[in-house]
Amino acid sequence: MRSFTYERARTPAEAAASAMRKPDAKFIAGGTNLLDLMKLEIETPAHLIDVNGLALDKIEPTQEGGLRIGALVRNTDLAADTRVRRDYGVLSRALLAGASGQLRNMATTAGNLLQRTRCPYFYDTNQSCNKRKPGSGCAAIGGFSRQHAVVGASEACIATHPSDMAVAMRALDATVETVRPDGPTRTIPIAEFYRLPGDTPHIETTLMPGELITAVTLPKPVGGKQIYRKVRDRASYAFALVSVAAIVQRDGTGRVALGGVAHKPWRVEAAEAQMPNGAKAVAERLFADARPTRQNAFKLALAERTLGAVLAEAKG
Amino acid sequence: MRFETPATINPIDQLKVVGKPADRIDGPLKTTGTARYAYEHHEGMPSPAYGYVIGSAIAKGRITGIDLTAAKSAPGVRAIVTADNAGKLGKGDRNTAKLLGGPDIEHYHQAIALVVADTFEQARAAAELVRVDYVRTDGAFDLAAVKDIAKPRAVFGGPADTAVGDFADAFAAAPVQLDASYTTPDQAHAMMEPHASIATWNGDKLTLWTSNQMIAWGVGEVAKTLDIPKENVRLISPFIGGGFGSKLFVRSDALLAALGARATGRPVKVALPRPFVFNNTTHRPATIQRIRIGATRDGKIAAIGHEEWSGNLPGGRPEGAVSQTRLLYAGANRMTATRLAELNLPEGNAMRAPGEASGMMALEIAVDEMAERLGMDPIEFRIINDTQVDPEKPERPFSQRRLTECLRTGAERFGWNKRNPQPGRVRDGRWLVGMGVAAAFRNNLLTKSAARVRLDNNGVVTVETDMTDIGTGSYTIIAQTAAEMMGVPMEKVVVRLGDSNFPVSSGSGGQWGGNNSTAGVYAACVKLREAVAQKLGFNSAEAEFADGEVRLGNRRVPLAQAAGDGGLRAEDGIEYGDIDKKYQQSTFGAHFVEVGVDAATAEIRVRRMLAVCAAGRILNPKTARSQVIGAMTMGVGAALMEELVVDERAGFFVNHDLAGYEVPVHADIPHQDAIFLDETDPMSSPMKAKGVAELGICGVAAAVANAAYNATGIRVRDYPITLDKLLEEMPDVG
Ligand SMILES: Cc1cc2nc3c(=O)[nH]c(=O)nc-3n(C[C@H](O)[C@H](O)[C@H](O)COP(=O)(O)OP(=O)(O)OC[C@H]3O[C@@H](n4cnc5c(N)ncnc54)[C@H](O)[C@@H]3O)c2cc1C
Ligand code: SF4
């Protein structure tokens, strides 16, 4: 870990402005991801801006009938909120499928969205990794890639995004609210928030450097059966091999987003249209451009079977 | 005390304290966080410095240059130890690779430097500033690729090849045959406490607080490596947060702490960071195993053959996976073969039940497959091939062997008769349900062990031995032994372990610790009883020790009084004759497992587990149960998830942290039952006890595998059985 300076920001605007002044600055929220990465010198910020003092820890109704979730709402509190459990069950379930109780007590909404990949080569600084060190190559290609992406990957990076929460947020069409370092606020639909790796896998979102997330808003509840199914090698405390967030209406229509398969939560509108026709039809379109590795090709069959189970559960 | 003939009645047989489920006497220290582990000693250490280990970034090759300039001038840095400046170092005999590498590199993350600074954070930050240049050379990293050039190699005192009768002919002639290959991956110990040490020098004398299972071995290894007399090395290891074999030998933390302390003149603390443990230390090596069984139609084994291939660094040893096959089942024609290839992965070495754990993973699937081919129940097939004698040397009986009873008892308790022998037929909601069984087998090893006991004028008995408690319960069973022998309650016994100033014990490993270390305490207590009796003028053979008194006829003297102000002390140990040559000593059991396999995703989840063990006298059913259920848990890990994944290009274990190397979590482990048959084995020691801690893991993984087969009809022969290996053959989901 490199030494760094530290400050506690008092307002979102102050935090963003401070990030603008100090180019090597990072926000720190729960610290459950950032600190681990700093210890391994995968992240090497020169300055930390602690955002825990910003009053962004509330869940409030919006005028549109949705919910506005403060960036600092802890994963535990979000999962337990009665409104979330009633109207956005897929989100509550996704949160509870992630990490462990202790971690969820610390993890925040914004931190969870911005957690970094679990590619093992990203974590080992002796190995080449374009995401950690642009231009150094990708050790996962041709290496241990069982966990990696099957769709939307590039020649530069085949990592997945590990968040469960983000998959549910994607299915719910959430919006990310931010303050830019130069002052103005903006909203980013979650569909436009994450980027595919392309040639720049180190740039993971459409946030500007130093842009602060203040909240995530959920639109008006859409009802339906809300299911989150996470498939993994052990029963808890493991990242998804494949996960499915589904909202299924009585008539069989609905939405579905997948985790564990791509550099971002994977949702394809054309695939969703096939939901009444069953899992195979949906999977065909979800993975029309899939390019799995030898080690992770099983994820295609797994995703289709999991989708099938989820759709059956929604019917039953 | 020499133990040459079977034990007769002795004070342990009273079972007033021994055999009772006493709570751990070290439990409160651990649950309150006051037990001091290796990294946590502060007394007499005003300002320790902290060391951070740097590991090699390549698997094989040479260091061509190390640039320490930036690191040396970083804040707080006091010294940087490398092979260049450490002075001439020897190498201990128990490890294959050097603990401090350079310029030659033997494996990935081999330690090549230690940065010592005033704080841990300074040491870690400076370590990142060290620049190392390497020249890589090609290495062998893929066991399957070098299998065919592997060479015969003996292990654990057995020959590389064994042959009885005519295996080839008998197998060829057998009407029912199985010829199948199995693989087990590299596995990590993944104990809770990483390797850690504090070293301090006083003149030419070194004191090392370290986390170590075998104190006397460690002293010898450190002395040899540093080229100093053994008398100048003191090792202290009172509490150990798990080891499973990875702490049988001192590791780089101990050596580098000693070198760092020498370089700085200060006490130095070194802990191996978790992501470093997996490639820096040892692991259970992967195996490829081929098993052939030929039987008559009525299920009698006519021929049984087991071949093993494993790899290790030059000079390393094979895993030894065929050893149980020499003893477990009858059959007139037999063969085993052990082959070792050179690999340049990190060092393979002992992990819980080395040899048998891996061997049973394969053998007990093979037996299940064979039973199916015969159309027999797998329990019945095992029972009709049971043997009461060493199948290679029929003149040599087992000291005790109640495998059949374990299987029958377990079948009854588990409800085996409800198992549908047709695989893939039982459904419970989204789960396909199956049951599996496997035998458990692990040898019982006799090794000498000594202790010192003191009696003071408060009637307190203090036991001192360099025995270790690696979470097993050694403190408690030793206290029970001394209490039984001296006729005092456990509260009157103080146990001090893990210090090389104490008499040399068996140490902890190979499930030999429980029986041998308590037998050593027994021997010392016999001497102490003699000293008490002699002081009082009693005939020691007739004196009775009970209720804190020593009695003879109508004379009764409190022990406290007998000890007097000077106290009494005695030291002795147990040593064995050739009783284990005349009788084969092994421990036996049966594992029963029920699994559910998700019909859609093929996730396997264990629903119920039972182990039945026959392992001599159970000294404490509570600590023994903890050992067995812990071993069952580890067996589930081996069956379903544990695998150090090899990057065959760069030659290292990729998933080198506890996020990537998955071991079972609570949610993976359902209700577990462990039953111990009521048994004593007079051939094992005056305690009549044997090991259980490794028996508990042997066979578990195969029982899980067999249950998964019974649930799905899909036979997976390559561990771990992850869902991707089942998916293709899983039935369609409707
Ligand atoms: C052992 C382990 C297991 C886990 N398992 C799972 C799992 O199964 N599923 C899962 O989804 N997750 C899992 N996680 C990840 C966990 O969910 C994340 O670590 C957590 O959500 C991060 O939140 P945080 O508040 O601690 O973020 P931090 O570590 O504080 O920050 C993470 C990133 O977000 C940035 N950031 C934080 N707040 C803001 C803000 N307001 N605006 C802009 N940037 C911000 C930080 O600069 C940093 O880059 C696991 C983590 C661990 C350690
Ligand atoms: S997959 Fe991405 S994160 Fe992993 S090594 Fe390649 S570039 Fe790095």
Side-chain angles (χ1 to χ4, degrees):
Chain A
M1 186 186 265
R2 304 238 182 112
S3 9
F4 54 88
T5 51
Y6 171 89
E7 75 174 283
R8 282 200 186 102
R10 278 167 306 180
T11 63
E14 190 186 298
S18 179
M20 170 104 149
R21 279 196 308 276
K22 307 240 169 64
D24 271 345
K26 279 233 138 208
F27 302 119
I28 182 160
T32 60
N33 190 224
L34 182 58
L35 281 176
D36 282 0
L37 296 171
M38 286 171 66
K39 288 176 191 168
L40 297 166
E41 296 208 0
I42 295 161
E43 300 263 23
T44 52
H47 183 66
L48 284 189
I49 304 164
D50 187 336
V51 296
N52 285 288
L54 309 184
L56 301 174
D57 55 355
K58 290 182 193 58
I59 307 173
E60 299 156 328
T62 62
Q63 282 175 351
E64 292 74 32
L67 276 186
R68 185 165 186 278
I69 302 159
L72 285 159
V73 172
R74 307 285 156 175
N75 287 179
T76 298
D77 299 329
L78 185 56
D81 185 272
T82 45
R83 293 158 294 183
V84 173
R85 289 174 54 188
R86 186 187 61 220
D87 298 330
Y88 308 96
V90 66
L91 177 59
S92 187
R93 292 186 184 105
L95 283 160
L96 294 175
S100 67
Q102 294 91 328
L103 284 158
R104 293 194 297 266
N105 288 342
M106 290 302 290
T108 63
T109 307
N112 191 318
L113 284 178
L114 294 178
Q115 63 174 294
R116 309 212 55 199
T117 185
R118 293 282 162 172
C119 170
Y121 297 98
F122 174 74
Y123 270 83
D124 186 335
T125 49
N126 291 325
Q127 307 304 321
S128 56
C129 170
N130 288 324
K131 190 183 274 301
R132 177 169 30 77
K133 197 170 169 209
S136 64
C138 170
I141 295 175
F144 175 44
S145 59
R146 181 168 180 270
Q147 298 275 351
H148 289 71
V150 291
V151 67
S154 71
E155 297 295 318
C157 178
I158 58 170
T160 55
H161 194 270
S163 170
D164 291 297
M165 183 192 80
V167 182
M169 294 283 198
R170 180 70 182 88
L172 289 166
D173 276 333
T175 310
V176 181
E177 296 185 2
T178 70
V179 185
R180 283 177 18 183
D182 51 351
T185 60
R186 62 167 173 155
T187 58
I188 311 169
I190 192 139
E192 289 157 29
F193 183 74
Y194 290 111
R195 296 164 45 112
L196 286 177
D199 295 333
T200 53
H202 58 293
I203 306 172
E204 291 166 353
T205 66
T206 49
L207 290 176
M208 301 167 63
E211 187 167 357
L212 177 80
I213 299 178
T214 51
V216 176
T217 52
L218 302 177
K220 208 162 95 211
V222 292
K225 275 229 173 152
Q226 304 205 356
I227 297 172
Y228 189 76
R229 180 78 163 85
K230 181 174 179 181
V231 184
R232 43 190 157 175
D233 289 321
R234 65 179 171 192
S236 174
Y237 204 36
F239 293 93
L241 292 168
V242 161
S243 70
V244 174
I247 301 171
V248 188
Q249 305 298 343
R250 279 237 172 91
D251 61 3
T253 64
R255 306 175 185 177
V256 55
L258 272 74
V261 296
H263 201 251
K264 61 179 189 181
W266 196 247
R267 187 172 164 198
V268 176
E269 248 103 271
E272 262 169 27
Q274 295 295 325
M275 280 173 68
N277 300 327
K280 192 169 178 2
V282 179
E284 258 166 26
R285 281 162 186 80
L286 272 173
F287 298 115
D289 300 318
R291 280 180 53 205
T293 68
R294 195 174 49 81
Q295 291 183 5
N296 68 18
F298 75 93
K299 284 189 177 186
L300 297 177
L302 180 61
E304 184 183 324
R305 295 178 72 100
T306 309
L307 258 171
V310 165
L311 295 181
E313 185 186 334
K315 248 190 243 159
Chain B
M1 176 184 286
R2 277 192 73 76
F3 184 79
E4 319 230 27
T5 52
T8 51
I9 297 284
N10 68 44
I12 297 296
D13 294 311
Q14 302 172 89
L15 298 182
K16 286 185 190 159
V17 194
V18 168
K20 297 277 187 288
D23 286 344
R24 278 166 200 261
I25 59 173
D26 51 330
L29 287 176
K30 290 182 174 170
T31 52
T32 56
T34 46
R36 293 274 175 83
Y37 288 83
Y39 202 69
E40 301 172 337
H41 293 272
H42 319 295
E43 292 85 0
M45 249 180 279
S47 59
Y50 293 79
Y52 198 84
V53 185
I54 299 175
S56 167
I58 64 166
K60 189 163 186 268
R62 243 181 113 73
I63 295 175
T64 52
I66 304 191
D67 182 357
L68 302 176
T69 327
K72 270 187 176 157
S73 55
V77 172
R78 298 294 160 193
I80 303 178
V81 177
T82 65
D84 254 355
N85 63 25
K88 196 170 163 291
L89 294 177
K91 192 180 111 14
D93 304 321
R94 298 187 183 274
N95 273 121
T96 310
K98 286 186 180 169
L99 299 180
L100 176 60
D104 292 325
I105 296 299
E106 294 164 280
H107 63 87
Y108 192 72
H109 275 177
Q110 183 173 31
I112 55 169
L114 182 81
V115 179
V116 186
D118 292 337
T119 69
F120 171 78
E121 287 75 13
Q122 288 170 334
R124 181 174 57 186
E128 290 292 337
L129 300 173
V130 172
R131 291 286 152 260
V132 187
D133 293 314
Y134 303 90
V135 183
R136 284 171 203 260
T137 45
D138 289 343
F141 307 118
D142 178 4
L143 176 60
V146 293
K147 174 177 175 261
D148 293 339
I149 54 168
K151 298 203 175 60
R153 184 63 171 269
V155 66
F156 300 142
D161 292 278
T162 65
V164 174
D166 188 336
F167 172 79
D169 279 2
F171 180 71
V176 184
Q177 297 174 346
L178 173 82
D179 180 352
S181 289
Y182 306 85
T183 63
T184 63
D186 297 286
Q187 293 175 343
H189 307 84
M191 65 286 146
M192 188 103 72
E193 180 202 28
H195 303 75
S197 298
I198 307 177
T200 174
W201 290 85
N202 187 353
D204 55 4
K205 293 205 186 315
L206 170 67
T207 303
L208 258 177
W209 286 266
T210 189
S211 188
N212 190 273
Q213 300 173 223
M214 299 291 297
I215 302 299
W217 288 4
V219 167
E221 296 282 285
V222 170
K224 188 157 184 211
T225 311
L226 294 172
D227 194 19
I228 58 176
K230 278 191 197 176
E231 298 69 49
N232 288 359
V233 179
R234 175 145 176 230
L235 234 68
I236 306 176
S237 191
F239 297 106
I240 296 142
F244 305 119
S246 87
K247 296 170 181 168
L248 285 170
F249 324 115
V250 284
R251 301 294 325 167
S252 57
D253 56 304
L255 174 65
L256 288 168
L259 293 172
R262 188 151 76 182
T264 56
R266 283 165 67 179
V268 167
K269 291 187 166 204
V270 178
L272 301 188
R274 182 70 66 181
F276 191 63
V277 169
F278 295 80
N279 285 283
N280 176 256
T281 70
T282 59
H283 65 279
R284 188 201 297 284
T287 64
I288 299 172
Q289 302 179 47
R290 179 187 187 199
I291 296 176
R292 283 173 290 171
I293 304 175
T296 57
R297 291 207 190 283
D298 58 0
K300 286 250 185 247
I301 294 177
I304 182 161
H306 194 161
E307 296 155 82
E308 168 206 347
W309 293 262
S310 62
N312 215 328
L313 287 168
R317 63 153 179 83
E319 167 64 0
V322 303
S323 50
Q324 73 290 322
T325 308
R326 299 177 57 196
L327 290 161
L328 188 48
Y329 296 111
N333 304 286
R334 338 177 48 91
M335 65 80 70
T336 67
T338 305
R339 300 288 177 266
L340 179 69
E342 273 186 21
L343 285 181
N344 303 101
L345 291 171
E347 176 174 338
N349 217 315
M351 177 168 145
R352 200 173 201 169
E356 278 119 328
S358 311
M360 292 293 278
M361 285 171 81
L363 178 63
E364 290 299 290
I365 296 186
V367 166
D368 201 66
E369 296 198 60
M370 193 62 191
E372 191 182 32
R373 287 189 186 193
L374 286 158
M376 281 179 83
D377 181 273
I379 293 179
E380 292 311 313
F381 177 56
R382 286 179 173 92
I383 288 172
I384 67 166
N385 289 292
D386 194 10
T387 169
Q388 289 298 319
V389 297
D390 176 346
E392 289 180 1
K393 297 193 189 81
E395 67 284 4
R396 202 169 157 258
F398 282 92
S399 61
Q400 287 270 350
R401 177 167 164 133
R402 292 164 74 196
L403 174 62
T404 293
E405 210 172 324
C406 290
L407 288 161
R408 292 233 192 273
T409 306
E412 159 123 17
R413 290 286 193 99
F414 202 68
W416 183 255
N417 57 4
K418 298 204 186 66
R419 169 181 176 266
N420 187 336
Q422 285 287 326
R425 295 292 165 86
V426 181
R427 184 87 187 228
D428 175 10
R430 65 187 240 219
W431 301 99
L432 304 171
V433 180
M435 286 191 216
V437 67
F441 174 92
R442 169 77 172 141
N443 281 334
N444 184 58
L445 304 171
L446 301 183
T447 175
K448 65 182 184 179
S449 190
R452 182 156 65 216
V453 279
R454 289 188 276 119
L455 176 66
D456 72 11
N457 60 0
N458 291 314
V460 171
V461 179
T462 302
V463 186
E464 292 173 336
T465 164
D466 84 353
M467 179 61 189
T468 49
D469 189 323
I470 58 177
T472 39
S474 312
Y475 276 105
T476 311
I477 57 172
I478 284 174
Q480 287 174 279
T481 304
E484 193 81 74
M485 290 300 291
M486 302 311 297
V488 299
M490 275 176 79
E491 301 72 54
K492 286 278 190 187
V493 181
V494 173
V495 182
R496 300 176 62 199
L497 302 182
D499 187 329
S500 60
N501 279 354
F502 300 153
V504 175
S505 71
S506 62
S508 300
Q511 78 169 12
W512 61 58
N515 176 49
N516 293 291
S517 73
T518 52
V521 173
Y522 169 93
C525 287
V526 168
K527 257 211 175 148
L528 184 60
R529 286 165 64 115
E530 284 165 8
V532 172
Q534 198 184 15
K535 189 163 172 203
L536 298 175
F538 286 7
N539 175 343
S540 67
E542 284 162 30
E544 190 197 345
F545 289 73
D547 305 325
E549 295 179 339
V550 50
R551 300 169 184 160
L552 189 70
N554 44 22
R555 277 188 68 192
R556 299 162 159 245
V557 183
L559 279 179
Q561 188 185 325
D565 285 344
L568 287 169
R569 66 180 253 164
E571 184 171 331
D572 200 5
I574 194 85
E575 282 179 52
Y576 299 91
D578 63 353
I579 200 161
D580 57 342
K581 310 275 174 320
K582 288 192 218 140
Y583 296 91
Q584 174 58 35
Q585 294 198 14
S586 305
T587 59
F588 300 89
H591 288 291
F592 291 79
V593 172
E594 181 179 287
V595 302
V597 182
D598 188 294
T601 63
E603 288 163 290
I604 304 175
R605 302 287 183 249
V606 178
R607 292 155 67 103
R608 285 192 300 141
M609 303 183 83
L610 165 70
V612 184
C613 304
R617 169 173 284 151
I618 298 305
L619 301 173
N620 178 331
K622 196 168 189 175
T623 54
R625 177 177 185 278
S626 293
Q627 283 304 299
V628 172
I629 63 174
M632 289 156 77
T633 303
M634 214 164 180
V636 170
L640 298 180
M641 61 193 86
E642 291 188 42
E643 173 175 19
L644 285 167
V645 178
V646 179
D647 185 308
E648 283 152 12
R649 306 159 306 173
F652 74 112
F653 299 129
V654 185
N655 50 339
H656 54 79
D657 59 28
L658 286 176
Y661 186 83
E662 289 185 13
V663 298
V665 295
H666 283 285
D668 291 299
I669 301 303
H671 185 71
Q672 296 176 313
D673 272 321
I675 296 172
F676 297 100
L677 296 189
D678 190 10
E679 160 176 312
T680 52
D681 191 335
M683 314 291 183
S684 72
S685 82
M687 303 302 294
K688 305 173 188 171
K690 298 198 262 196
V692 292
E694 298 192 335
L695 175 68
I697 192 175
C698 294
V700 180
V704 175
N706 295 338
Y709 173 74
N710 182 241
T712 60
I714 303 166
R715 187 65 84 175
V716 178
R717 298 183 185 83
D718 301 300
Y719 289 101
I721 308 172
T722 45
L723 57 87
D724 44 306
K725 296 174 187 168
L726 296 174
L727 267 184
E728 229 166 80
E729 293 175 58
M730 287 290 283
D732 284 343
V733 267

